């Protein structure tokens, strides 16, 4: 049965969709169609969903039904909507689109696109030698079935050693290898969260975490992070846990995605204490823990303060190494790891042995690889910050001490409109609303600094031109009627 989105729900997702003033102002129906395409492109509006009836959406948006009719007609013409008399209209995509590495739908002909929607680095030079060495190690595993639900012992030992070196004594029995950090989160949610369970998340937060929670039909509440300062308001965060008593709280304490904030040690300790008192399990996403910049010291892991098995840590190799190597992990108590392995059998059985062997060799060279990554990221971050100061001085940003992203406060609630306009000049963006719930965060934009400095500077130049064009208010250009004799 096809799910349906109601008029008020779609209106909330659309947010500030109206045509903005500019040199090439589009009519409202075209702006509405473009906004719906934008929701499809960034994954906030699923495929195969039945859209509201024209009258229902017109009432929710307080516009004429004629405007909605024209917008639906344009969406049908571009291949983004299918309609059948008596059955309604449902979302789809034209055949010229594909799934990009972000999981979002993008056009096929995007070779010249500067993709700032992806916050990930290309592979390090050490990957190919590590793959060759892994292939040489593979024969000793070929005599078995190849299923290792918790991961091969060499990789679990290597990951446990990393935690121990960070000051958190860990045994291999406390590690479960997964197919990426997102897979780790999904397995934890399957084990620890019943459908409809309460979850506290930061706002903004990682969009794919919101998607995973939505798939579990979680009841989500948020704790707002500030764009500057320390990010977390300790009293509000701890008060939210005490008052709502969620089953889970999902946090990103190291170089938070997207803000780049780093949680202080004392708040980590208080957070664990509040979670224990409220009966809340903490899911701690450590995806960026390997990427402090400028010599920033790291506080102890959140799990250091855990005495009651309330903290489940997840991490992986996507950010410091390469996203194409689908290796993640869960650190928890040994009994929790065994329960996760049992839950995994119904999902994917085990991670590929060869990929795990590659990960073992990369982690053995980890310090050298990570140092190079930090130097590269610091230079690219500084280039992006300078380019923004030169070309977009009205945009505000707190320079992060680690991670891979800037969280930019724009000079108006234009994030989605800017993303749509930027696509036309070859820059793909992740607008602020993707990182929150119900179309909020229109004043913010995430900009990763994972591309070469020259690409980042070119992207900022294009964004500056687009931003300038959005503000140009000109008189309507009326055409003289043609005389037919």
């Amino acid at each position: 049965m096809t799910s349906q989105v109601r008029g008020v729900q779609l209106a909330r997702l659309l947010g500030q969709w109206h045509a903005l003033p500019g040199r090439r102002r589009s009519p409202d129906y075209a702006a509405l169609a473009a906004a719906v395409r934008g929701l499809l492109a960034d994954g906030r509006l699923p495929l195969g969903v039945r859209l509201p009836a024209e009258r229902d959406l017109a009432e929710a948006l307080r516009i004429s039904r004629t405007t909605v009719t024209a917008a639906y007609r344009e969406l049908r013409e571009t291949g983004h909507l299918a309609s059948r008399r008596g059955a309604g209209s449902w979302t789809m995509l034209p055949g010229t689109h594909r799934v990009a590495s972000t999981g979002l739908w993008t056009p096929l002909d995007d070779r010249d696109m500067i993709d700032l929607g992806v916050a990930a680095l290309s592979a390090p030079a050490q990957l190919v030698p590590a793959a060759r060495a892994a292939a040489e190690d593979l024969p000793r595993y070929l005599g078995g079935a190849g299923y290792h639900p918790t991961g091969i012992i060499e990789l679990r030992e290597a990951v446990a050693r990393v935690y121990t070196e960070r000051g958190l004594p860990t045994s291999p029995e406390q590690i479960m290898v997964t197919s990426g950090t997102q897979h780790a989160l999904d397995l934890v949610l399957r084990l620890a969260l019943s459908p409809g369970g309460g979850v506290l998340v930061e706002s903004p937060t990682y969009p794919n975490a919101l998607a995973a929670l939505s798939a579990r039909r979680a009841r989500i509440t948020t704790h707002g992070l500030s764009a500057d300062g320390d990010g977390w308001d300790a009293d509000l965060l701890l008060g939210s846990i005490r008052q709502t008593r969620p089953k889970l709280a999902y946090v990103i304490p190291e170089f938070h995605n997207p803000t780049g904030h780093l949680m202080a040690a004392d708040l980590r300790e208080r957070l664990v204490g509040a979670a224990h008192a409220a009966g809340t399990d903490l899911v701690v996403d450590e995806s960026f823990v390997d990427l402090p910049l400028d010599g920033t010291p790291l506080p102890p892991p959140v799990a250091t303060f855990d005495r009651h098995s309330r903290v489940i840590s997840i991490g992986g190799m996507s950010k410091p190494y390469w996203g194409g190597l689908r290796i993640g992990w869960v650190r928890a108590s040994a009994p929790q790891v065994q329960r996760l392995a049992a839950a995994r059998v119904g999902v994917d059985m085990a991670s590929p042995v060869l990929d795990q062997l590659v990960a073992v060799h990369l982690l053995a060279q980890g310090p050298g690889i990570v140092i190079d990554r930090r130097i590269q990221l610091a230079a690219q971050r500084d280039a992006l910050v300078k380019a923004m100061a030169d070309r977009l001085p009205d945009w505000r940003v707190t320079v992060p001490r680690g991670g891979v992203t800037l969280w930019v406060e724009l000079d108006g609630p234009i994030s989605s409109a800017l993303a749509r306009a930027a696509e036309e000049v070859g820059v793909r963006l992740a607008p602020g609303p993707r990182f929150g719930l119900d179309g909020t965060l229109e004043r913010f934009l995430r900009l990763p600094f994972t591309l070469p400095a020259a690409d980042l500077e070119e992207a900022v130049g294009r964004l500056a031109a687009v931003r300038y064009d959005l503000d140009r208010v000109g008189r309507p250009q009326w055409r003289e009627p043609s005389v037919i004799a």
Side-chain angles (χ1 to χ4, degrees), residues 162-163 166 252-256 261-262 268 284-293 296-302 313-317 319-321 329 370 374 401-404:
V162 170
Y163 276 103
R166 289 175 56 200
I252 311 174
E254 285 92 16
F255 313 117
H256 176 268
H261 291 310
L262 177 63
R268 295 170 185 235
V284 180
D285 188 335
E286 300 180 316
S287 294
F288 299 93
V289 72
D290 293 309
L291 299 175
L293 306 180
T296 298
L298 285 175
V302 174
S313 304
I314 61 175
M317 304 189 70
K319 301 307 179 184
Y321 296 91
W329 50 76
V370 168
R374 293 172 184 170
R401 294 177 290 164
V404 300

Side-chain angles (χ1 to χ4, degrees), residues 150-161 164 169-177 330-334 337-338:
T150 57
I152 63 173
I153 187 60
E154 291 100 324
L155 182 53
R156 291 162 59 209
E157 287 175 343
V159 175
R161 191 158 49 247
T164 301
T170 301
S171 69
E173 290 73 28
Q174 292 177 270
I175 300 297
M176 176 179 179
V177 178
V330 179
R331 184 207 179 270
S333 68
V337 166
Q338 291 304 310

Side-chain angles (χ1 to χ4, degrees), residues 85-126:
R85 185 178 297 276
S89 301
W90 56 95
T91 55
M92 57 181 293
L93 283 173
T96 56
H97 283 61
R98 62 176 175 84
V99 179
S101 58
T102 56
L104 307 180
W105 294 94
T106 59
L108 285 172
D109 53 345
D110 61 352
R111 293 180 181 177
D112 296 328
M113 185 71 67
I114 300 177
D115 195 346
L116 296 181
V118 180
L121 292 160
S122 57
Q126 295 89 338

Side-chain angles (χ1 to χ4, degrees), residues 349-470:
M349 301 293 286
S351 297
V353 171
L354 183 58
D355 287 18
Q356 294 183 70
L357 290 170
V358 174
V360 170
H361 285 278
L362 285 176
L363 287 175
Q365 305 175 65
I369 295 174
V370 168
I371 287 174
D372 290 342
R373 295 302 220 187
R374 293 172 184 170
I375 294 172
Q376 174 189 357
L377 286 169
Q380 291 171 184
R381 178 203 60 189
D382 294 345
L384 178 57
V385 170
K386 182 179 185 304
M388 287 176 52
D390 292 342
R391 301 297 303 273
L392 293 160
D394 293 333
W395 291 8
R396 295 179 53 204
V397 62
T398 299
V399 179
R401 294 177 290 164
V404 300
T405 62
L406 301 182
W407 186 237
V408 182
E409 184 175 358
L410 307 175
D411 53 348
I414 60 168
S415 186
S416 294
L418 183 70
R420 292 194 298 270
E423 190 92 14
E424 299 298 321
V425 296
V427 179
R428 181 166 297 125
L429 299 175
R434 285 208 65 223
F435 301 87
L437 297 173
D438 296 332
T440 58
L441 303 173
E442 276 288 0
R443 289 188 64 90
F444 294 91
L445 179 70
R446 190 190 74 172
L447 293 179
F449 42 88
T450 49
L451 295 179
D455 289 345
L456 296 173
E457 292 161 358
E458 173 65 23
V460 170
R462 297 183 192 181
L463 291 180
V466 167
R467 180 66 189 98
Y468 174 73
D469 192 44
L470 288 180

